[in-house]
Amino acid sequence: MAAGNTYTQIASTTLGSTANTVTFSSIAATYTDLVLVINAQCQTSSGQGLYLQYNSDTATNYSSTVLYGNGSSALSTRTSSVVKAGIGNIDTSNYGTTIVNIQNYSNATTYKTAISRSNAPANYVLSYVSLWRATAAINSLTILLDTAPFNSGSTFNLYGITSA
């Protein structure tokens, strides 16, 4: 079999002004997995939690586990039966990068899991595992923060992974 592109860009957004959410919709079920790459900054005096909602689901169908480290301390915590899946944190002083791998997003028989890595340069690193307790294929993603909007210049890229 000839080698081909593994990652195919599905959508890309760069904010020209602040925004409370970013949504990718009409995601085709033609890939095995999704990769979401976020390089963002928020507009607030403190850091913000970064979250996903799938298919406009705002019910308490999400849970997340996070591992956190800042060079001098580490911790882990878990949330369950919440209205959005935790995937990272961002702050106001630096653009931070978050990479989210969403496995088997188009499978209509299993719950959906995501693994993400997030950082704010010189501040912290995070790793999340999140679960969406629904068997529907994912056809839209909404990216949001705790309370503050994303700053202008924040970028959001969605890729599909093609099976080998």
Side-chain angles (χ1 to χ4, degrees), residues 30-61:
T30 55
Y31 305 98
T32 57
D33 304 297
L34 298 174
V35 176
L36 176 63
V37 180
I38 302 166
N39 189 18
Q41 186 180 50
C42 65
Q43 196 174 64
T44 183
S45 61
S46 62
Q48 292 280 297
L50 184 61
Y51 303 93
L52 279 180
Q53 289 176 325
Y54 302 109
N55 297 358
S56 302
D57 182 4
T58 59
T60 56
N61 294 321

Side-chain angles (χ1 to χ4, degrees), residues 121-142:
N123 291 325
Y124 58 81
V125 294
L126 302 162
S127 182
Y128 275 84
V129 176
S130 62
L131 175 71
W132 180 42
R133 290 183 309 278
T135 57
I138 295 170
N139 57 34
S140 75
L141 302 172
T142 300

